[in-house]
């Protein structure tokens, strides 16, 4: 095998590897996170496909629920859960198949 053939094979391998890395960078999902507005000091937080409900010293006792807007599928809701006043912590979570575009907390006393 001559020197030019070896260099050509190495160059092709490097070019193919670079294309593979570029293609992965285009199709790989990026991490993201967002938070809804407050409802009685409770909020929804969501990332790519999942969401959760959180409170920090909730200002009202009552029924709370998270609702998520999912891309390319029906929107989803958690079950209603009763939380006491001053509740602090995570209280629910859920998953969309493709992507969560928005989530929020619903409240009923």
């Amino acid at each position: 095998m001559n020197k030019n053939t070896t260099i050509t094979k190495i160059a092709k391998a490097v070019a193919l590897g670079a294309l593979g890395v570029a293609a992965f960078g285009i199709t790989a999902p990026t991490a993201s996170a967002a938070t809804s507005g407050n409802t009685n000091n409770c909020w929804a937080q969501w990332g790519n496909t999942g969401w959760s409900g959180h409170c920090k010293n909730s200002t009202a006792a009552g029924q709370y629920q998270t609702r998520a807007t999912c891309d390319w599928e029906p929107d989803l809701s958690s079950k209603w859960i009763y939380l006491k006043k001053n509740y602090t912590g995570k209280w629910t979570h859920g998953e969309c198949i493709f992507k969560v575009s928005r989530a929020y907390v619903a409240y009923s006393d």
Side-chain angles (χ1 to χ4, degrees):
M1 185 180 287
N2 70 32
K3 186 177 179 182
N4 286 339
T5 304
T6 303
I7 292 172
T8 302
K9 286 184 179 180
I10 291 171
K12 285 181 182 178
V14 169
L16 286 173
L19 286 173
V21 169
F24 178 76
I26 291 169
T27 59
T30 57
S32 64
T35 304
S36 71
N38 258 339
T39 302
N40 302 330
N41 285 347
C42 297
W43 65 94
Q45 182 174 344
W46 69 94
N48 287 332
T49 59
W51 80 90
S52 54
H54 304 265
C55 295
K56 182 163 185 169
N57 296 322
S58 60
T59 58
Q63 298 289 329
Y64 289 82
Q65 179 186 55
T66 55
R67 296 178 182 171
T69 302
C70 302
D71 290 358
W72 307 295
E73 65 182 295
D75 296 344
L76 299 173
S77 300
S78 67
K79 293 182 180 179
W80 286 97
I81 184 168
Y82 180 83
L83 298 177
K84 294 180 180 180
K85 185 176 179 179
N86 296 319
Y87 176 81
T88 296
K90 179 178 171 181
W91 48 274
T92 191
H93 66 279
E95 290 280 331
C96 294
I97 295 171
F98 300 104
K99 184 178 187 311
V100 178
S101 57
R102 177 173 104 88
Y104 62 96
V105 172
Y107 167 76
S108 176
D109 57 359

